[in-house]
Amino acid sequence: MLPMGGTDGGGTDGVVRGDRAALAWRQFVDLPEDRVDRQPMRGGGGRLVMVFDGRLDNRAELLARLGRTGPEAASMPDGRIALRCFEAAGRDALGWFCGAFALALFDEGEDRLLLARDALGMRPLVYHLARDFLRFATVPRGLFADPAVPRALDPVALARHSIRWRVAADRTIYQDIQALPPGCFLEMQAGRVVVDHHWRPDHVAPLRFARTDDYAEGLRAVLETAVAAQTRSARGVASQLSGGLDSSAVTALAAGVLAARNDVLDAYTAAPPEGTPPVHPLLRHDESGVAAETAARFPNIRHHVIRETPALELELFDRIAAGADLPPVNAMNMPWFDDIARAAGRRGAGVLLHAGYGNLTISAEGFEGLADMVLRGRFLALARHGWRLRDLNRIERRLLVAETAMAVRRRLPVPAGLRRRIGRRVLENASAALRPEALPDGGLDGLAKAAVWRWPGADRLADGGRRVAAFANNDLAFLTFYYEASCGLSLRDPTADRRVAEYCWGLPPEAFLAGGTPRGLIRRAMAGLLPPAVVENRRQGAQAVTWRRQMSAARDEILREIDALAACPDTAGLFDIERLKVLAAEIDGPDESREMMIALQVTLTQALNVGRFARRFSGSNQTGREDAAKAGD
């Protein structure tokens, strides 16, 4: 696997070439054991050759299973442990691993290649298959180093990305470049290629406890285990800290783990400029004060508030897209997150903990549990929970209706015609900036049929597979690679730990409504550890509060970029340029409706983000200003 090099100059790269396969590896020093890591590794009496990217978060369990003890075992690199597991159990060893990893294992004796990714897809792995020749790499750029690999964008994937519909997990935004999906392996032998699952969500065991408090105690225990494992670092540890439950829980538990080691934790909070007025009575626009309350509970936390930048910097999209090999999906949130990541890197952190997937695991609202009660005929339980939820605020009521309806729709057969009408309404709103000619055969329906990849059996989970589906189609793995390569920072999310996810997905849906409160499970689990301002809070935190002010400050640059998109044949054929100009004119307009907010934040911003990526990929770096200058000549 050939990622870009890390910032630690002490790494050692390696290549093994044979008659049937070649494996290459470039070192990034992330973990203490990485300093002695040397790859590619040989094992199995010289028969096996392996490269390993990532980490194993259950090292102690694996070493015990292998019967390895002593100082040599304690300092063994994670990749070497993985290789020893393969020697002991073959491909079945994949089921032993918990962590974020991608690997390639070649068995010279059997002429068989194995590629694999971790259960939830936290590390990337892509490949190109042409006849009986397979090329693979960490990110597509590694494949493009070979001139035999086609270098072209996939128009359907690009259109989906333009409306923030993620590309399916087995595809990329490039033609003929495939991604190995999460929890999967690829095996190639004698010219035959098989892709299958080593982990599936329907293997998650249901959990039922006698006491409500047992669910909360179990959650806190498994989350603390995940946090402790993910604080292992060759350098310092930092965390992203908002006023919300997820990041506060991760930060608080990390502070406890690091205090036991006499280490400090740098916690970073993004906030608008001081004096920014509130945006909505049910939203917390500045969470720095609440975050400070959490930080103050732990003497080893150093709290840093990062104020949002005054203008939207379009070049940031370019840097991320160039490093991650795809444009970011949530473009408006990237400026403040990038500021935090770079501040942490400058202060010497090697790890940035966050909780991006918390609402899919530890802090699910629990509203889908009401749908489960309806479908199972548990009307007394429904009435009891409904009475407890009588004090929901307006935003929570909207979530209740939306999530309950979604859960019912997932569990009941919906007529195809109705499903198409629902999908068309969503697409018509989302695809307002796309030209009709840019859509695949079948128009909007064709774009919808380019469906997300799904794990088989996900619909058997208690929530109908809604939460696990988000893991199947995410771009965080590529974003993680970008920050490792650009500033030596490893992004880690303990709420996406396999053990945490399996615990949460195995619970009955109503467990998350403990005490009759949305997100009741995590509230009970963190009671006493976090301040009441976090545990009892029912308002949501607002992100990128000054987004419209930032767009206004960058309005001239936005207009120039729209001109550049019009001048590039690839992007002019994709986007409705006149629609983008109309939206740009509304940046400083009086319309503050929700529809206009979505049009500017999503439609316009994502078009600029994806358009710049496509334009630069095609080699068209010409700006509207350069066009005007040439016209004047």
Side-chain angles (χ1 to χ4, degrees), residues 130 171 181 221 235 322 371 378 381 394 404 416 434 491 520 544 563 601 619 622:
R171 299 177 61 184
R235 295 181 292 280
R378 299 173 57 202
R394 189 164 72 247
T404 302
L434 291 176
L491 305 185
D563 288 341
Q601 269 196 319
Q622 193 175 55

Side-chain angles (χ1 to χ4, degrees), residues 155 158-159 433-439 565-577:
L158 200 66
L434 291 176
R435 292 174 60 88
E437 310 91 271
L439 300 176
L565 298 181
C568 173
D570 290 343
T571 52
L574 177 64
F575 295 109
D576 183 341
I577 300 298

Side-chain angles (χ1 to χ4, degrees), residues 355-423:
Y357 287 104
N359 61 345
L360 301 175
T361 54
I362 65 173
S363 68
E365 298 280 356
F367 293 143
E368 66 270 11
L370 302 180
D372 187 70
M373 294 173 196
V374 171
L375 296 172
R376 295 177 183 272
R378 299 173 57 202
F379 298 115
L380 287 177
L382 178 66
R384 184 171 62 253
H385 282 280
W387 174 253
R388 291 175 177 172
L389 293 171
R390 64 188 181 278
D391 295 328
L392 296 182
N393 62 44
R394 189 164 72 247
I395 292 178
E396 289 172 332
R397 285 197 297 271
R398 286 179 182 171
L399 281 172
L400 183 151
V401 172
E403 291 196 13
T404 302
M406 188 183 304
V408 170
R409 184 159 56 90
R410 281 179 176 270
R411 305 282 285 278
L412 290 178
V414 177
L418 176 59
R419 190 180 294 274
R420 280 196 298 271
R421 285 197 295 274
I422 294 172

Side-chain angles (χ1 to χ4, degrees), residues 215-250:
Y215 293 112
E217 292 169 7
L219 175 60
R220 181 157 167 175
V222 72
L223 182 59
E224 187 166 15
T225 297
V227 169
Q230 295 194 23
T231 55
R232 184 166 54 110
S233 175
R235 295 181 292 280
V237 178
S239 72
Q240 182 266 324
L241 173 63
S242 71
L245 286 160
D246 301 336
S247 66
S248 299
V250 167

Side-chain angles (χ1 to χ4, degrees), residues 563 622-633:
D563 288 341
Q622 193 175 55
T623 66
R625 179 183 293 175
E626 291 167 342
D627 286 344
K630 289 185 178 181
D633 292 339

Side-chain angles (χ1 to χ4, degrees), residues 312-332:
L312 182 65
E313 184 187 1
L314 296 186
E315 288 188 1
L316 171 63
F317 299 160
D318 298 340
R319 293 198 299 271
I320 294 173
D325 274 0
L326 84 168
V329 170
N330 198 347
M332 286 307 302

